[in-house]
Amino acid sequence: MAQAAGPGQGRQGDLARVIRLSIPLRQALARLSLPLMIAAAFGVMLLGKADALLAERLRSHLADALSPIYAALAEPMGAVRNAVEEVQALAQLREENAILREENERLRRWQAAALALESENELLRRQLNFLPEAAPAFVTARVVADGGGTYARAVLLATGPQHAIRKGQVALDERGFVGRVTEVGSRSARVLLATDMNSRIPVTLESSRARAIMAGSNGARPRLSHWPEGVMPVEGERIVTSAEAGAFPAGLPVGVVRVSPQGAPEVELFARLDRLDAVRLFDYGLRGILPPESVARPEPRPGRR
């Protein structure tokens, strides 16, 4: 005789039948979900085309319903954004601190080398009984006009009769060599800039100690010429003034060598000639510069008798 099924066995059978029925149902729903979504999308598009006012109302109601959610999410999203920006700023600060530590360490080494050289230089000065050169006298004048006059690259300075400015004085700004005084009036003076095509400055290549001439070209960078045979100006080499012909004192900072795309050595000046507000006029007591009019207007020859 067969035994009657217990309540537990009945529930297990019902569960198995439900599982067997749910698998095809899920498969059918999975197959129908994409077509249903596409049909719903087309329906919404057709509805929007058919009745624009209704579609606008639906969008308005949807925006009204979602705006509190957006408002609630805006604050935490802003906090997350601020936290990310703070983390990025901290990472950037860490990198900058590392760079600054390296620069400080490099500067400490340079400071130690400079102090050692200063001590050695002082010792040699005492042993050689070296007489340092006297500090030159200078006056500071304000630039009141650019250009004008005989030269294309010159500036006009506002001066006074009490300044005792003379032709040939050297003009410097806080960075380096600017030019020389070529014209002096009772209340003004004109400085010929180093970039003018009439400017010729004897210079020294600081690394090789070779002499050369820096000639203006009316451009931003003067050209180098007449350096010795076997010596070639090197990119980045410092240029200082030379004491040749008694025109300028030696060692005034001028600029650095830059090689043009055509391969010609030029000088990138330290001085900012496009932003001159005031210049210092130094009197080194040199008389090696002839006035421009002495070259432009030679003395007339005596007539034949």
Side-chain angles (χ1 to χ4, degrees), residues 124-190:
L124 292 175
R125 286 172 183 269
R126 288 198 303 268
Q127 291 178 352
L128 297 174
N129 197 19
F130 177 77
L131 295 177
E133 297 180 358
F138 71 92
V139 296
T140 301
R142 183 170 297 278
V143 177
V144 294
D146 296 337
T150 308
Y151 305 106
R153 298 290 185 270
V155 292
L156 188 66
L157 309 180
T159 62
Q162 72 277 10
H163 291 152
I165 297 173
R166 64 175 184 82
K167 295 179 182 179
Q169 287 185 340
V170 180
L172 303 174
D173 69 353
E174 70 276 6
R175 295 171 178 264
F177 181 79
V178 171
R180 62 187 178 92
V181 177
T182 56
E183 299 176 14
V184 178
S186 59
R187 297 187 177 275
S188 66
R190 193 176 301 277

